[in-house]
């Protein structure tokens, strides 16, 4: 009898322990839900990337497998019907436009971001900061219209001057075309377009510089600029690369502005001031798509696949450069 | 190299708020002066006025004079950047530049002054500064490793090496050991005792045993209540302050009755 009671009591104790210490369903629900959400979101990104890549491959397949003779029948294909010879200049033009835009925009962006974060008086910095955020939110088509209709005609003079005085540099080889529907104009407009986003992100990065590092420089007798060079720029370098990548994405994919400005042509020319030399992948797809037949659409999607690969490659390269240059990964 | 500091009637303001009121004291060369007092008493703020680092905070300003070897730091003709090159500072948390190597960290201040230092001179200066900071033996084989790869105590000694590499006249230390373990703290205290042969040292500390151990003179700051300015209660030889202070508040503080 007592043995039975003792066993019952022991069971009771064990039961008590399990109810207080064992995981309960209710307490675990939030954790599970969060984990599900996080894993799900992560998986969704991969799934979307795979879906886009799959779509591009699948839709481009007919063009990729088509015979040169079939492709040559498309009016805008090279006569030998080689898809690669068609994509080559487009990819070149795309990268050229993006490099030009970033080359112009990033130094200016970093300058503006530094001015806002470390030079401007507090109130001016606040105003400028929110202004930049505002500009970054404006859709690129608005910049495209402004660039094509207002800015481009005004670049006529500067381009003619460049061709006259620096024409010996291959980039500025003359004659400068009139109207300036040229790569140089595209580069400037794209630069204006990516400037706000690159500035906004760089500013955040510079503002996050640890106070300790800035004071370390100042206490050694650094001037403001020396402090920026010793503490702010090294700290912000990887962030600026990320900002530039965001801008690069915008520049690589920009369609409308390029379409409205550029007089297209398919060459590997470096002459930025001559019309009919370049075209970008995105603008070309928009230009040819409305009148393309089934095989034409497939060929255009193949060029889109190339753009996708370029973007991935550039992004990975940039991340690799940043990771390699971070000193020991130490913070 | 070491110089005498004379502070007369110094008030420090942040905007319209008076953080420190009416401080006058003389800091002798080749000595260690400890500033002690409860949190918010203005001792760190006062320390920063000695190399104009308080000006980093917008709206901070000073009334009164700080004479270093007879030159008023707040004379309009004086450049705060030049002041900081002559009056070095070590902070509460070690702050080596994370992207620079150990050697580059030591040379950081020198490069600001004189970019064209020869390789041999640079190597020599790195060794001398690290030796003076008691760090040479530990890092001599890895001078090109990042400064951030060192332990906290080593990083702090690296910061001291960086500060003395430019051969300042005065060394200010703002709780230099408060983020360190006891052994690293001891290393820093030994170092302070050696450095005072050459430099005028002013150290802020929350640790009264530390003040008693390292300093020749001790200044006690106090604040009546939050919102009031901090004031200098007394300054005297450390042995006097810790045995027979003139003020009740000092005695209460050093005996641990408040603060």
């Amino acid at each position: 009898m007592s043995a039975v009671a003792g066993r019952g009591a022991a069971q009771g104790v064990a039961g008590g322990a399990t109810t207080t210490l064992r995981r309960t369903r209710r307490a675990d629900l939030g954790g599970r839900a969060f984990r599900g959400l996080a894993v799900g979101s992560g998986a969704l990104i991969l799934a979307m990337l795979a879906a886009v890549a799959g779509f591009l491959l699948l839709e481009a397949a007919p063009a990729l497998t088509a015979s040169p003779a079939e492709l040559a029948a498309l009016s805008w294909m090279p006569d030998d019907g080689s898809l690669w010879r068609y994509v080559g200049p487009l990819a070149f033009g795309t990268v050229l436009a993006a490099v030009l835009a970033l080359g112009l925009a990033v130094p200016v962006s970093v300058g503006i971001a530094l001015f806002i974060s470390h030079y401007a008086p507090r109130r001016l910095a606040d105003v400028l900061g929110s202004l930049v955020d505002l500009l970054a939110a404006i859709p690129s088509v608005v910049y495209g219209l402004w660039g094509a209709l207002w800015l481009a005609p005004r670049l006529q003079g500067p381009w003619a001057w460049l061709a006259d005085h620096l024409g010996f540099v291959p980039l500025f080889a003359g004659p400068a075309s009139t109207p300036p529907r040229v790569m140089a104009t595209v580069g400037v407009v794209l630069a204006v377009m990516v400037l706000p986003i690159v500035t906004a992100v760089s500013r955040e990065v510079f503002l996050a510089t640890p106070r300790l590092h800035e004071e370390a420089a100042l206490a050694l007798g650094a001037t403001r600029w020396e402090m920026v060079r010793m503490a702010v720029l090294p700290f912000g370098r990887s962030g600026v690369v990320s900002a530039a990548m965001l801008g690069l994405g915008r520049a690589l994919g920009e369609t409308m502005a390029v379409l409205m400005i550029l007089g297209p042509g398919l060459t590997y020319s470096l002459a930025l001031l001559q019309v009919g030399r370049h075209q970008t992948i995105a603008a070309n797809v928009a230009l040819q798509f409305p009148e393309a037949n089934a095989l034409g659409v497939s060929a255009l999607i193949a060029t889109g696949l190339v753009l996708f690969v370029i973007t991935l490659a550039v992004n990975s390269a940039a991340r690799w450069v940043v990771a390699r240059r971070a000193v020991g990964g130490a913070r | 190299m070491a110089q005498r500091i004379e502070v007369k009637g110094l008030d420090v303001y942040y905007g319209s708020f008076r953080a420190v009121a009416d401080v006058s004291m003389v800091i002798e060369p080749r000595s260690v002066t400890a500033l002690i007092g409860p949190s918010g008493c203005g001792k760190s703020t006062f320390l920063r006025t000695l190399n104009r680092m308080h000006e980093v905070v917008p709206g901070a300003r000073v009334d009164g004079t700080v004479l270093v070897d007879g030159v008023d730091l707040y004379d309009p003709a004086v450049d705060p950047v030049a002041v900081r090159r002559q009056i070095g500072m070590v902070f509460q948390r070690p702050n080596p530049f994370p992207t620079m190597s150990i050697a580059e960290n030591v040379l950081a201040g020198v490069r600001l002054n004189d970019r064209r230092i020869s390789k041999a001179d640079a190597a020599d200066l790195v060794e001398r500064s690290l030796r003076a900071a008691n760090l040479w033996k530990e890092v001599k084989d890895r001078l090109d490793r990042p400064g951030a790869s060192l332990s906290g105590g080593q990083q702090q000694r690296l910061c001291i090496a960086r500060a003395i590499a430019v051969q300042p006249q005065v060394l200010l230390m703002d709780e230099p050991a408060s983020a360190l373990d006891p052994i690293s703290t001891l290393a820093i205290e030994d170092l302070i005792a050696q450095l005072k042969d050459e430099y005028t040292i002013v150290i802020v500390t929350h640790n009264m045993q530390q003040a008693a151990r390292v300093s020749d003179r001790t200044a006690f700051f106090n604040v009546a209540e939050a919102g009031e300015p901090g004031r200098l209660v007394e300054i005297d030889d450390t042995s006097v302050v810790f045995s027979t202070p003139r003020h009740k508040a000092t005695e209460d503080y050093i005996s641990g009755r408040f603060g």
Side-chain angles (χ1 to χ4, degrees):
Chain A
M1 192 68 173
S2 66
V4 172
R7 228 175 92 194
Q11 267 177 354
V13 168
T18 48
T19 46
T20 50
L21 290 182
R22 215 174 56 186
R23 289 173 195 238
T24 59
R25 233 158 213 248
R26 193 152 48 105
D28 214 26
L29 201 62
R32 280 183 192 204
F34 177 71
R35 196 176 61 182
L37 194 69
V39 171
S41 311
L44 189 66
I45 280 288
L46 286 179
M48 275 165 60
L49 193 68
V52 171
F55 161 82
L56 287 171
L57 275 172
L58 212 65
E59 295 292 315
L64 293 174
T65 54
S67 70
E70 286 174 281
L71 284 170
L74 295 167
S75 60
W76 30 266
M77 268 288 161
D79 291 336
D80 65 359
S82 160
L83 197 57
W84 291 115
R85 277 194 51 203
Y86 181 63
V87 174
L90 286 173
F92 174 77
T94 305
V95 172
L96 182 64
V99 166
L100 209 54
L102 282 190
L104 292 171
V106 169
V108 180
S109 290
V110 169
I112 300 173
L114 279 178
F115 176 72
I116 294 175
S117 65
H118 284 86
Y119 285 88
R122 189 78 148 280
R123 265 186 219 157
L124 182 63
D126 288 348
V127 172
L128 282 177
S130 39
L131 204 66
V132 167
D133 285 345
L134 194 77
L135 288 174
I138 293 177
S140 56
V141 65
V142 177
Y143 290 109
L145 282 169
W146 171 79
L149 301 178
W150 188 88
L151 184 63
R154 282 161 181 79
L155 289 171
Q156 180 72 59
W159 292 164
W161 185 91
L162 272 180
D164 284 350
H165 294 86
L166 293 170
F168 55 88
V169 181
L171 289 175
F172 305 127
S177 303
T178 322
R181 298 166 60 82
V182 297
M183 187 47 105
T185 309
V186 169
V188 171
V189 171
L190 289 182
V192 172
M193 209 177 273
V194 303
L195 194 77
I197 185 80
V198 180
T199 306
V201 175
S202 303
R203 178 185 61 116
E204 288 301 320
V205 174
F206 293 150
L207 282 176
T209 311
R211 185 70 179 263
L212 269 174
H213 298 166
E214 296 179 5
E215 290 194 338
L218 289 174
L220 285 173
T223 60
R224 198 102 66 110
W225 163 237
E226 288 164 338
M227 181 264 282
V228 163
R229 242 191 31 223
M230 288 173 94
V232 180
L233 290 180
F235 175 81
R237 198 171 50 200
S238 69
V240 170
V241 171
S242 292
M245 286 305 106
L246 274 177
L248 184 76
R250 272 191 156 193
L252 281 176
E254 179 51 33
T255 309
M256 286 309 293
V258 182
L259 198 60
M260 284 186 286
I261 295 167
L262 199 59
L266 297 180
T267 72
Y268 291 101
S269 167
L270 280 174
L272 304 178
L273 302 177
Q274 295 174 7
V275 79
R277 292 281 184 274
H278 312 99
Q279 176 66 306
T280 72
I281 292 175
N284 185 61
V285 169
L287 187 67
Q288 309 290 5
F289 196 82
E291 290 169 31
N293 59 19
L295 186 62
V297 167
S298 178
L300 291 176
I301 289 175
T303 66
L305 183 63
V306 171
L307 182 57
F308 182 77
V309 170
I310 291 175
T311 316
L312 283 186
V314 171
N315 254 308
S316 316
R319 306 244 156 255
W320 180 73
V321 168
V322 170
R324 205 177 48 122
R325 289 186 64 182
V327 178
R331 267 290 123 101
Chain B
M1 201 187 301
Q3 292 188 331
R4 183 172 192 263
I5 305 173
E6 200 173 343
V7 181
K8 289 186 210 156
L10 192 82
D11 295 301
V12 190
Y13 296 85
Y14 290 119
S16 59
F17 171 65
R18 186 157 71 153
V20 178
D22 196 27
V23 174
S24 299
M25 69 167 75
V26 172
I27 297 167
E28 295 296 341
R30 294 192 174 77
S31 71
V32 178
T33 302
L35 311 180
I36 61 171
S39 296
C41 69
K43 57 193 186 302
S44 282
T45 297
F46 170 72
L47 184 78
R48 286 171 160 250
T49 62
L50 299 181
N51 69 343
R52 297 183 66 167
M53 274 298 284
H54 69 289
E55 291 173 11
V56 171
V57 179
R61 67 194 167 81
V62 152
D63 272 348
T65 54
V66 177
L67 302 173
V68 176
D69 253 20
V71 178
D72 185 1
L73 294 188
Y74 290 94
D75 188 287
V78 168
D79 178 4
V81 168
V83 169
R84 293 179 200 136
R85 285 183 189 189
Q86 295 182 17
I87 302 179
M89 191 162 202
V90 176
F91 296 84
Q92 183 173 0
R93 296 213 358 237
N95 54 359
F97 296 112
T99 54
M100 291 186 191
S101 70
I102 292 170
E104 285 169 346
N105 260 292
V106 175
L107 293 171
V110 184
R111 294 232 191 271
L112 290 175
N113 291 302
D114 176 16
R115 270 152 223 285
R116 281 185 296 270
I117 179 169
S118 78
K119 244 188 183 159
D121 285 352
D124 186 48
L125 181 63
V126 168
E127 176 169 350
R128 253 188 303 137
S129 305
L130 287 172
R131 275 189 195 282
N134 288 342
L135 190 59
W136 175 250
K137 280 183 198 145
E138 291 156 67
V139 302
K140 64 172 188 261
D141 299 323
R142 44 176 174 153
L143 293 174
D144 51 353
R145 294 285 320 271
S149 66
L150 300 174
S151 75
Q154 290 173 325
Q155 285 187 24
Q156 192 64 302
R157 278 179 282 153
L158 176 59
C159 292
I160 293 175
R162 180 176 68 186
I164 59 183
V166 294
Q167 300 180 308
Q169 297 157 347
V170 179
L171 205 52
L172 308 178
M173 299 182 162
D174 192 354
E175 300 183 44
S178 68
L180 305 181
D181 65 90
I183 292 176
S184 302
T185 300
L186 214 60
I188 299 283
E189 289 180 8
D190 287 348
L191 180 54
I192 292 170
Q194 291 170 22
L195 291 174
K196 80 171 181 185
D197 293 343
E198 283 186 68
Y199 303 94
T200 307
I201 295 175
V202 185
I203 176 173
V204 165
T205 178
H206 266 128
N207 179 333
M208 277 170 286
Q209 285 78 24
Q210 183 170 68
R213 281 193 299 261
V214 303
S215 71
D216 304 299
R217 305 263 293 169
T218 296
F220 173 63
F221 284 74
N222 202 1
V223 60
E225 56 185 290
E228 293 283 305
R231 289 170 192 279
L232 174 64
V233 175
E234 65 181 292
I235 176 168
D236 211 327
D237 288 346
T238 298
S239 54
V240 175
V241 171
F242 279 89
S243 57
T244 51
R246 270 174 290 155
H247 292 266
K248 178 95 174 41
T250 315
E251 194 181 345
D252 287 351
Y253 182 74
I254 58 175
S255 58
R257 250 167 267 165
F258 80 98

